[in-house]
Amino acid sequence: MAQVLRSIDTRLDGRQAAAWSRKRNRRILNVVMKYAIRRRVLRANPLPKGKESTAVVKTTNAVDKRSLLNPEQAAAILDWIRRRPRGGKRLHAFFATLYYCGPRPEEAVAMRVEDVILSEPDADDQWCELLIHTATPEVGKQWTDTGEIHEQRDLKGRAEGETRTVPGHPALTRILRQHIEDEQLQPDDLLFQGESGGIPAGSVIRRAWRGARKAVLPPHVFESPIGRRVYDNRNTRLTKWLNDGVPPAQVAEWAGNSVAVLLATYARCVDGQMPDLKRRLEAAGDLP
């Protein structure tokens, strides 16, 4: 059994797998063992129990502060993507949506034009709204019933058919309005499409993001965790909302998380509020 555990904790290249992968593999193996017991193949579960079973798999939901982008870095990366010769403007609109509204990438690629509510160009309020109701994660052809790379699902951690509305900054309103006009999109079209139509490939999205980081960030910053993953756009936005003083309950609603998960994930990234908190505590007075 020790050899089996070492195998599931090790990648094909011989290095140790990530903590979440090791934890997931052990859970799956435990389910297999329970099934074997029910079928009377085994008399007892040979896996270690109690603290011994989890002592080597320490995981955390907290976001690494080092992965967050500052506004200058985000602007430089988005600008480089916009100028990219091949599909740059389409990808720019996609990444701008991730940065300004914080949806999960699989939620953004599932959006259609009719899911975006844009204000009139001459309106005083230039904020937009995004209706998020579906996710299409990339799972691979061998894992879907249809043979498609993407699988359509309901929102993560939400009841079937549940939706949420997220406000979009006026800057995003301008970007999406121009994007829809340039691509001549119809209301029922996908908002973000690949070169041949349909959902953009995850490999294209990741390659464009990595190329932009490498082009605009200094080498030592590029090698750091800053913005290393496309998902870091979401982490940056949710953290910024919290740092800007948006109530956690509202951020959780926009993000599609529970308040408990939101705080457990992003509480360590909240920064810059200490001077204001000190003033509030001082205003409460001291003992007479």
Side-chain angles (χ1 to χ4, degrees):
M1 183 52 62
Q3 185 177 355
V4 172
L5 293 176
R6 283 196 300 270
S7 298
I8 65 173
D9 289 347
T10 307
R11 303 190 335 180
L12 293 177
D13 60 8
R15 292 187 296 175
Q16 189 179 56
W20 275 112
S21 296
R22 304 200 308 273
K23 193 170 187 177
R24 182 182 65 249
N25 292 342
R26 290 187 177 220
R27 285 178 176 173
I28 294 172
L29 183 59
N30 191 54
V31 171
V32 172
M33 295 301 169
K34 289 181 179 179
Y35 178 75
I37 293 173
R38 287 200 302 271
R39 297 301 300 268
R40 298 183 179 180
V41 177
L42 295 175
R43 292 184 177 180
N45 191 337
L47 290 176
K49 298 178 177 61
K51 293 183 178 180
E52 184 183 356
S53 64
T54 58
V56 295
V57 187
K58 298 295 184 181
T59 60
T60 177
N61 291 328
V63 168
D64 186 350
K65 292 179 65 172
R66 299 174 300 167
S67 68
L68 304 179
L69 295 157
N70 64 42
E72 291 75 21
Q73 292 165 339
I77 291 174
L78 288 176
D79 185 60
W80 187 92
I81 291 174
R82 183 174 62 86
R83 299 172 186 274
R84 190 173 184 258
R86 190 171 179 178
K89 290 185 177 180
R90 288 196 302 270
L91 288 169
H92 173 258
F94 170 76
F95 285 118
T97 300
L98 296 186
Y99 178 77
Y100 281 111
C101 290
R104 298 176 178 91
E106 61 266 25
E107 296 170 343
V109 297
M111 291 180 59
R112 297 191 177 272
V113 176
E114 61 190 3
D115 297 330
V116 182
I117 302 175
L118 298 174
S119 56
E120 295 297 328
D122 56 351
D124 293 333
D125 185 354
Q126 283 298 307
W127 284 75
C128 63
E129 285 188 347
L130 306 185
L131 177 64
I132 300 175
H133 55 83
T134 308
T136 52
E138 192 175 68
V139 297
K141 295 181 179 180
Q142 68 272 31
W143 302 111
T144 60
D145 295 333
T146 61
E148 300 291 334
I149 296 176
H150 297 84
E151 182 179 56
Q152 185 168 320
R153 300 177 182 173
D154 290 304
L155 299 182
K156 182 178 180 180
R158 291 292 180 265
E160 183 178 352
E162 189 170 339
T163 68
R164 71 177 191 272
T165 303
V166 186
H169 193 276
L172 181 63
T173 301
R174 295 191 295 271
I175 292 170
L176 292 181
R177 184 184 289 124
Q178 189 66 49
H179 168 69
I180 294 171
E181 180 181 336
D182 290 346
E183 299 294 318
Q184 299 180 351
L185 299 175
Q186 301 302 312
D188 60 344
D189 289 339
L190 284 171
L191 182 60
F192 308 114
Q193 301 180 7
E195 290 186 351
S196 58
I199 298 175
S203 58
V204 173
I205 292 172
R206 292 186 294 271
R207 187 163 57 245
W209 183 254
R210 186 179 188 280
R213 286 184 71 248
K214 190 170 185 178
V216 305
L217 299 178
H220 70 282
V221 179
F222 172 74
E223 296 296 336
S224 74
I226 293 176
R228 182 176 293 169
R229 304 176 304 155
V230 173
Y231 203 93
D232 289 329
N233 283 283
R234 171 177 166 85
N235 292 337
T236 297
R237 175 51 47 185
L238 269 57
T239 300
K240 191 174 190 311
W241 279 335
L242 291 172
N243 282 326
D244 288 344
V246 180
Q250 183 62 76
V251 176
E253 170 64 24
W254 291 342
N257 285 337
S258 67
V259 175
V261 169
L262 179 82
L263 295 179
T265 306
Y266 297 98
R268 295 181 184 178
C269 300
V270 177
D271 197 10
Q273 299 183 10
M274 187 57 70
D276 181 58
L277 294 175
K278 288 179 178 179
R279 286 193 296 270
R280 291 186 186 184
L281 293 174
E282 288 180 354
D286 200 353
L287 293 175

